[in-house]
Amino acid sequence: MPSTMTPAPPWRWTIAAAALLVLVAGTAAPGLAAADHDDTAAAPPVPRLSVPDRLGPPQWGAWEVRHRPVAAAPAIFTAENWWYEPPSLGSVAVVAAGTDDYRLLASGWPARAGEDALLSPDGRTVALPNHLVETHTGRTRSLPSVDGTGDSMPAAWSPDGDLLALVGIDGGYAAQQDGVETYTVRRAVLAVSEVASGRLTTVADLRPDALAFGWLAAFAPDGRTLAYQAGDSVVVATVDGRTLHRFPVPPGTRLAGKGAWIPDGTGLTLVDQRRCCTGDAYAARWQLRVVSPNSGRDLPHAVLPEQAGLVALRLLGWAPDGAAVVARYRPEPGITVAGFDAPDGITNGAWTATDTDVVALDRQGAARTVLVGVDQAVHGIDVADQAIGSGLTHSGHLPPRGVGPRYRRYAVVAGTAGVLLVAGLAVGFTRRSRRRTATHSTAPAGSDTGPDPR
């Protein structure tokens, strides 16, 4: 008698095929966005950088820079609560030049734009803790290790973008007297990196307990001289580490920010925090003053009036008309005054509101609005030097509400796979039902297996 093989029921093959479709769709989904980016494509032309006058929360699921690069960015910004659940801590928003399209970067750290997330002068590279991301290609490169330290934190870009000041840090979590574990930096080393080659020059050891990123270092206009904060002193050095000048500063005084050097390089701007002021909701005021980079003595440069009601004031640069372009950080209501010695940084989100803005302060103290955030969008902010230097602003286009295009695409893929699965199951069960009907209708007479009537 010839042997026979019983074929697998068709519904099993249908389910297997549907499952394969789901597997393929799930595997391909992350690559769909990446497929939109052609690594061999020429970089798009760079438009002249203009600052958008308003920023809004990016969409949850907005395209990432690595999937959809942009020619350049006039600004980047951060906040902890764009999406609430999940929180946006560790995400950096990038605003595309010319279109105001928004992109996202994952920093891997709770980075703050303008402090440890820094936009290059031409807006084409973002320096983040331990790595660089090119906005125009989406490519990521690691930052070099500084003198064997564990993490490399960006501190300042040179005006031409060829050099990047870094601080290598070693640290760890330690229990405090109240039992709370706090990250503590135990070692900090300042260095200068050549961006193209990665070649590193160590400049100096820094006091680990006196780091204030955003107010730590600033390159002079010549790109070969660097001023940096060393505790209660300011040091001016060459980029190869040779000290030129050192002078003390009062407690609460820091380099004013990345724009600390005045445009002709003859003065260095400091920012002072003065604890005061009966009747103020936030009992501290800030003042910018210009000093000699050789001696620290005040120069006969117009001193701007004190700025009240701010957690912090950071100098981004100088407008073409000579106005000081600053980021203003505002406090949450009723909080205690914080200083540069705050354990988690002076702009910690526990006491800084998410309504940081950028204004240009003229010599009479009048504030011309450059950029604002809407819907509590901006905590940290950085603006490209070329955007500040252009003096150009435009009406910013805010992103739409709802889920972003990257997650919508994944939802479409998942939905399509689900439909295929349901359709496959339906077809399989239909075929099985038809086979049963056909089997019963073609069975020979007398094949009934019931009891013999005889």
Side-chain angles (χ1 to χ4, degrees):
M1 183 176 182
S3 62
T4 59
M5 295 182 64
T6 303
W11 60 272
R12 290 186 181 175
W13 291 107
T14 304
I15 291 178
L20 180 61
L21 284 171
V22 173
L23 178 62
V24 170
T27 303
L32 285 175
D36 292 328
H37 169 40
D38 180 7
D39 281 336
T40 64
V46 182
R48 191 177 183 193
L49 296 185
S50 170
V51 182
D53 65 359
R54 56 182 182 155
L55 301 172
Q59 291 177 296
W60 182 54
W63 291 116
E64 295 183 359
V65 167
R66 63 191 175 97
H67 294 157
R68 293 286 183 87
V70 298
I76 60 174
F77 63 103
T78 52
E80 298 179 9
N81 61 345
W82 290 327
W83 312 307
Y84 296 97
E85 292 297 337
S88 52
L89 190 68
S91 295
V92 178
V94 177
V95 185
T99 63
D100 286 352
D101 293 334
Y102 283 33
R103 301 287 188 265
L104 292 176
L105 286 175
S107 72
W109 284 64
R112 301 171 194 170
E115 297 178 49
D116 50 12
L118 305 179
L119 186 58
S120 64
D122 62 2
R124 289 165 64 83
T125 307
V126 181
L128 299 166
N130 295 320
H131 60 284
L132 296 173
V133 180
E134 296 176 346
T135 64
H136 57 291
T137 66
R139 296 187 182 93
T140 298
R141 290 179 287 157
S142 296
L143 290 175
S145 175
V146 179
D147 198 23
T149 55
D151 295 294
S152 295
M153 311 295 289
W157 285 95
S158 66
D160 57 10
D162 290 343
L163 302 176
L164 181 65
L166 302 174
V167 178
I169 62 172
D170 276 329
Y173 284 91
Q176 306 302 308
Q177 292 182 350
D178 58 3
V180 176
E181 288 197 347
T182 301
Y183 184 84
T184 302
V185 177
R186 293 189 285 263
R187 181 173 178 238
V189 182
L190 177 67
V192 174
S193 170
E194 291 182 357
V195 175
S197 67
R199 190 174 76 88
L200 203 67
T201 301
T202 300
V203 175
D205 287 338
L206 302 178
R207 271 179 48 190
D209 62 342
L211 302 177
F213 288 96
W215 293 266
L216 183 60
F219 279 89
D222 64 10
R224 309 305 302 172
T225 307
L226 179 72
Y228 64 90
Q229 191 88 26
D232 289 331
S233 296
V234 169
V235 180
V236 177
T238 61
V239 294
D240 59 7
R242 181 168 56 90
T243 297
L244 300 176
H245 309 285
R246 176 188 289 266
F247 54 86
V249 295
T253 298
R254 290 291 185 274
L255 285 172
K258 70 172 184 176
W261 291 86
I262 64 175
D264 65 4
T266 61
L268 195 57
T269 313
L270 307 179
V271 63
D272 297 324
Q273 182 190 40
R274 183 167 70 93
R275 305 290 181 96
C276 60
C277 311
T278 303
D280 285 9
Y282 189 76
R285 292 186 181 179
W286 297 88
Q287 187 168 61
L288 299 174
R289 60 189 182 92
V290 180
V291 302
S292 164
N294 301 336
S295 64
R297 289 193 296 268
D298 287 338
L299 293 179
H301 192 279
V303 177
L304 295 171
E306 285 185 327
Q307 304 295 304
L310 302 176
V311 167
L313 185 73
R314 187 164 53 84
L315 180 58
L316 300 173
W318 301 86
D321 63 1
V325 179
V326 299
R328 303 188 301 183
Y329 296 81
R330 292 186 176 83
E332 292 284 3
I335 62 98
T336 303
V337 172
F340 286 110
D341 56 352
D344 295 315
I346 192 171
T347 61
N348 184 276
W351 48 76
T352 304
T354 48
D355 62 353
T356 302
D357 64 2
V358 176
V359 300
L361 300 174
D362 65 23
R363 296 189 178 188
Q364 287 70 47
R368 180 178 74 249
T369 299
V370 176
L371 180 157
V372 299
V374 300
D375 296 332
Q376 298 185 332
V378 181
H379 176 210
I381 181 73
D382 198 14
V383 181
D385 292 353
Q386 291 183 13
I388 296 172
S390 75
L392 300 176
T393 60
H394 64 273
S395 179
H397 301 292
L398 299 180
R401 303 279 185 173
V403 176
R406 184 161 55 99
Y407 289 170
R408 289 201 305 270
R409 172 169 290 192
Y410 295 166
V412 168
V413 171
T416 301
V419 169
L420 290 173
L421 175 60
V422 171
L425 291 173
V427 170
F429 285 123
T430 300
R431 287 181 177 177
R432 185 182 184 193
S433 177
R434 287 177 178 175
R435 278 184 177 273
R436 286 178 175 174
T437 302
T439 300
H440 284 291
S441 64
T442 58
S447 63
D448 190 351
T449 58
D452 190 337
R454 294 177 295 180

